[in-house]
Amino acid sequence: MDKVKGTVLQKGIVLGKLWLMPNNKIEVNGEDVLAQNTEEELEKYHRAKKSVLLELKELLEEENSVTGEELLSLHAMLIEDDDYIETIESFIHEEDYKAEVAIKKATETFAQAFLQLDSTYMKNRSADIEAVGNLLLQNLRGQKGMKVPSEQCILMTEELTPEDLLRLPREYILGILVTKGAPHSHLAILASNLGIPTLTGIAVAEELVGSTVALDGEEGEFIYNLSPEEEKQVVAKVQTKNQETAELKELIDAPSKTLSGKEIKVFANVGTDDDCKEAKENGAEGIGLLRTEFYFLSNETTSPTEEEQYEFYKKAAQSMEGKLTIIRTIDLGSDKSPSYLDMPQETNPSLGCRGVRFALAMGELFKTQLKALLRASAECKIGIMYPMIISVDEVRQCQKLLAEAREELRKNNIPFGTPLVGVMIETPAAALISDELAKEVDFFSIGTNDLIQYTLGVDRQNEQVAHLFDGHHNAIITLLTLVAANAHKEGKWVGICGDLASDLTLTEVFVKMGIDELSVVPNKILELRKRIRSIK
Amino acid sequence: MKEIVYTITDPVGLHARPAGLFVKEAKKFASTVTMFNGAKKADGKKLIALMLLEIKQGTEIKLEIAGDDEETAAAELEKFLKENL
């Protein structure tokens, strides 16, 4: 058995016969470029354009995935783009180029223009114009039909345009191995939408054609030279995985209830609005932690404005369609600080000016964030959560600032709503005075990563002591139990948003202590829900 | 001539799909539609040119609309921007 590592464009494990798709990228001869008859060449180009558009229209009619439809219409529009047409025509008319040379040169010109742009997304659009150019060239060369597999296979090829993929008989394509294909290319998006396991960065291996190979999109491996025994192992792995995935998928809309009917909500931890989408797709019942510091860090020169923040929070919360979205106020410290804020070096950042200490020290910056959150809560169900709290006084200072923010909005006639307000319990101090804190807020969310670090005095990044970082330690369980009891005494709810929330060996313990909500990364939601549903 | 100033809120900016939809919308009108990103400008009825303006989230764009149906065109395009971008 041999393996090669690639980059995963779409997850999944498959086993099948390797089929090599001939590279249908048209090469244009660079020598014989001049036309005998320009009018004839123009005519040829227009005929090709018309026929490709017709073909795209036919594909569009048969296509039933939204991504596929969008892509085909985009490519049709590119072919019909006035600038593209004029450039090709003028290459034929004024430079006397043959149609195929004119198409190649115009395509290269526009592909280059896209490559000059800053963002990866826009750079990747050069592949779209190249795909369109290739369609025209294929048509000119009379290559209408392409070679397609006649049975189920794992397709291997150097480069695959989205059209190629759409034209292949989908039921035959078990998996795709390509040499070139960027993570944000349309091929990647399409493969992911169609759910076809795909790896990129795999060199074409002609000698393996026809042999049985495996594509492991969980590990990112292309596996070949399998012995019959190894094939069986892969088949078993595929079956287990498929069964697990199918079982988990059925739980997307299922309630997170134990067998005795106790409900414990499963929320998601996110940092971007893409994560929110993933959370929604995996059946999150809310967002338990939306981190905002990445958003502040990704801006290089200034902190995001109130308006920008408002749009960001609103967009994230709206994607949850009416479900609660808990947004944590900036949790920055000297170890993670944006360049536009001049923060002094600290010898011990984890015990330094961070979390709410930092936010309160910043004043206006914090108030701007609170205003944006208040505004977003006019339209969405939002919870505001303060990090690194150690005293009732800190909570009151935050609430005072929130009241000021509300007053300023009111004065300017800007609409705002009433968000829930909660605190992170991530210091032993907060856990021990949780009875007092519960009187001040609507909810608690326990940040176990820091709570363990501060309670046990262990830095999990430090290899020498990382093994001592233990969430099962009796001290941690005792603190969690105390926090849950204190919250419930005041009629407040309590969640866990640290890594410990996804530790399935503790789920039953959490249910017993009365934790109301567990917030985990989106791809762990369904496993956690399954675990909850198996508890008596 | 009508002018519209709008700040793009979509996280990926004026990406391919909405740019395509914008072109379709703009082509419904006889008026000329020009989109400005700072000093760069493009014909609002041409997809590639619009995409090459590389309009990102937070960018303030300006539209200039001129022609017989500029009133309706301006109203419709502004609505389109608010709903899609």
Side-chain angles (χ1 to χ4, degrees):
Chain A
M1 178 168 77
D2 293 300
K3 291 176 181 179
V4 198
K5 276 258 175 202
T7 306
V8 180
L9 296 184
Q10 170 61 21
K11 283 187 176 188
I13 310 168
V14 282
L15 181 82
K17 252 193 195 162
L18 190 71
W19 181 74
L20 184 71
M21 194 177 93
N23 190 357
N24 59 11
K25 198 168 171 186
I26 304 281
E27 298 300 331
V28 176
N29 186 342
E31 285 162 17
D32 183 20
V33 297
L34 294 183
Q36 306 279 345
N37 180 337
T38 26
E39 287 313 311
E40 216 170 80
E41 295 298 317
L42 266 181
E43 179 68 17
K44 266 197 211 164
Y45 159 59
H46 281 285
R47 237 181 308 159
K49 176 159 78 75
K50 211 169 143 191
S51 146
V52 170
L53 279 171
L54 201 67
E55 196 195 347
L56 287 176
K57 210 177 138 210
E58 280 167 11
L59 280 172
L60 193 58
E61 272 164 18
E62 287 163 26
E63 186 53 44
N64 42 30
S65 78
V66 178
T67 325
E69 281 175 10
E70 281 177 8
L71 187 90
L72 292 166
S73 12
L74 169 69
H75 286 189
M77 285 188 81
L78 288 176
I79 290 192
E80 287 188 289
D81 184 272
D82 291 337
D83 288 332
Y84 188 47
I85 296 176
E86 278 162 29
T87 311
I88 295 172
E89 285 177 343
S90 80
F91 273 134
I92 298 175
H93 243 302
E94 276 143 49
E95 313 282 336
D96 287 339
Y97 284 139
K98 282 185 175 173
E100 59 174 44
V101 179
I103 292 168
K104 181 175 169 258
K105 286 200 181 283
T107 307
E108 277 172 0
T109 310
F110 286 104
Q112 267 307 316
F114 279 112
L115 285 174
Q116 300 297 320
L117 300 178
D118 295 338
S119 75
T120 320
Y121 171 82
M122 277 301 174
K123 281 186 205 296
N124 282 336
R125 300 290 70 77
S126 63
D128 286 307
I129 190 85
E130 278 167 1
V132 161
N134 204 48
L135 286 176
L136 289 170
L137 292 174
Q138 280 174 359
N139 192 284
L140 270 183
R141 293 273 177 98
Q143 295 183 4
K144 258 198 100 174
M146 58 187 250
K147 211 178 148 195
V148 297
S150 51
E151 57 182 343
Q152 286 202 324
C153 69
I154 291 179
L155 183 154
M156 174 177 257
T157 187
E158 193 179 336
E159 229 174 321
L160 189 69
T161 66
E163 269 86 1
D164 290 341
L165 178 53
L166 293 175
R167 281 190 287 196
L168 287 163
R170 208 153 303 159
E171 63 280 13
Y172 286 169
I173 310 299
L174 298 169
I176 300 170
L177 299 162
V178 287
T179 317
K180 296 180 209 162
H184 295 285
S185 63
H186 269 131
L187 172 67
I189 298 167
L190 199 56
S192 147
N193 265 271
L194 300 175
I196 305 175
T198 303
L199 292 184
T200 178
I202 305 289
V204 168
E206 281 181 41
E207 67 280 9
L208 295 174
V209 170
S211 69
T212 301
V213 297
L215 184 169
D216 186 340
E218 304 296 319
E219 308 289 336
E221 288 171 343
F222 166 46
I223 309 164
Y224 52 96
N225 290 341
L226 294 155
S227 70
E229 197 47 46
E230 287 160 344
E231 273 182 28
K232 272 186 210 148
Q233 284 168 9
V234 177
V235 172
K237 195 172 171 188
V238 172
Q239 279 169 347
T240 322
K241 187 74 207 165
N242 287 349
Q243 204 177 341
E244 276 174 17
T245 318
E247 277 173 19
L248 287 179
K249 274 209 175 131
E250 281 177 17
L251 297 180
I252 290 176
D253 296 314
S256 311
K257 260 188 196 165
T258 63
L259 292 170
S260 55
K262 195 168 185 307
E263 196 169 1
I264 177 164
K265 290 210 150 61
V266 180
F267 280 22
N269 294 344
V270 298
T272 64
D273 40 352
D274 269 354
D275 296 346
C276 283
K277 210 176 135 220
E278 197 190 343
K280 192 86 207 348
E281 284 165 3
N282 282 287
E285 293 161 82
I287 298 294
L289 168 65
L290 168 65
R291 300 180 182 89
T292 57
E293 47 280 5
F294 298 129
Y295 180 50
F296 279 76
L297 289 168
S298 64
N299 267 30
E300 279 162 17
T301 46
T302 57
S303 63
T305 64
E306 179 188 317
E307 197 63 32
E308 285 166 353
Q309 290 188 52
Y310 160 66
E311 292 292 343
F312 174 73
Y313 304 145
K314 189 174 74 173
K315 186 148 193 190
Q318 274 174 344
S319 64
M320 292 310 294
E321 295 168 9
K323 295 187 165 124
L324 178 64
T325 302
I326 299 177
I327 303 176
R328 180 171 74 186
T329 58
I330 33 172
D331 192 8
L332 296 166
S334 63
D335 51 341
K336 43 176 182 180
S337 72
S339 49
Y340 53 85
L341 294 174
D342 193 19
M343 292 197 59
Q345 288 279 320
E346 292 175 328
T347 47
N348 199 344
S350 62
L351 302 180
C353 184
R354 50 171 296 195
V356 79
R357 304 168 185 177
F358 165 83
L360 286 170
M362 282 291 145
E364 275 309 307
L365 183 102
F366 188 25
K367 203 200 273 177
T368 304
Q369 181 175 38
L370 294 175
K371 278 197 217 165
L373 288 167
L374 283 166
R375 288 176 59 191
S377 62
E379 292 146 86
C380 311
K381 205 167 158 192
I382 281 175
I384 297 181
M385 176 159 79
Y386 306 123
M388 261 305 268
I389 292 288
I390 58 163
S391 69
V392 169
D393 182 54
E394 280 172 341
V395 182
R396 291 188 181 155
Q397 284 184 56
C398 293
Q399 294 293 67
K400 189 168 160 263
L401 214 57
L402 186 67
E404 283 175 27
R406 199 177 285 132
E407 207 36 56
E408 285 175 27
L409 291 173
R410 197 193 315 273
K411 265 192 209 146
N412 293 314
N413 281 322
I414 300 170
F416 59 89
T418 316
L420 295 176
V421 174
V423 290
M424 293 274 294
I425 303 288
E426 48 189 341
T427 60
L432 293 167
I433 60 159
S434 50
D435 53 341
E436 296 172 55
L437 291 172
K439 295 187 170 75
E440 309 284 323
V441 296
D442 301 312
F443 67 90
F444 287 157
S445 184
I446 308 173
T448 50
N449 299 357
D450 275 336
L451 186 63
I452 299 169
Q453 149 162 284
Y454 294 131
T455 307
L456 305 183
V458 173
D459 174 4
R460 64 173 172 167
Q461 316 278 348
N462 181 339
E463 282 176 24
Q464 312 231 49
V465 294
H467 64 282
L468 296 172
F469 191 91
D470 176 18
H472 295 237
H473 194 292
N474 207 13
I476 304 301
I477 302 299
T478 308
L479 285 176
L480 297 182
T481 312
L482 176 72
V483 173
N486 280 336
H488 293 153
K489 231 184 283 169
E490 293 296 329
K492 309 295 165 68
W493 54 270
V494 54
I496 298 180
C497 66
D499 287 347
L500 214 55
S502 53
D503 183 337
L504 301 181
T505 62
L506 282 175
T507 313
E508 193 162 2
V509 177
F510 295 150
V511 172
K512 285 215 177 97
M513 54 173 89
I515 298 291
D516 302 283
E517 165 247 311
L518 292 169
S519 192
V520 299
V521 291
N523 63 21
K524 294 210 170 138
I525 293 171
L526 294 173
E527 278 168 53
L528 176 58
R529 181 166 297 147
K530 186 179 165 199
R531 175 72 192 107
I532 292 170
R533 290 168 64 88
S534 70
I535 292 171
K536 280 185 190 142
Chain B
M1 193 190 67
K2 302 283 291 177
E3 247 185 59
I4 298 169
V5 174
Y6 180 80
T7 306
I8 302 291
T9 61
D10 193 293
V12 267
L14 186 68
H15 54 116
R17 194 181 57 85
L21 293 174
F22 183 90
V23 169
K24 279 190 186 147
E25 194 65 28
K27 280 187 171 170
K28 287 184 190 163
F29 307 100
S31 296
T32 59
V33 179
T34 314
M35 192 182 284
F36 291 80
N37 175 6
K40 290 198 286 180
K41 64 171 180 176
D43 184 337
K45 297 181 182 179
K46 292 180 179 177
L47 178 61
I48 298 180
L50 276 192
M51 284 165 71
L52 288 175
L53 284 180
E54 195 171 29
I55 292 164
K56 296 176 188 171
Q57 183 185 27
T59 304
E60 192 182 85
I61 58 157
K62 191 177 79 176
L63 283 185
E64 277 183 9
I65 302 151
D68 288 344
D69 56 359
E70 59 185 37
E71 291 287 337
T72 347
E76 289 296 315
L77 290 173
E78 185 162 25
K79 192 169 144 232
F80 175 89
L81 288 173
K82 282 183 181 154
E83 282 170 6
N84 296 280
L85 285 153

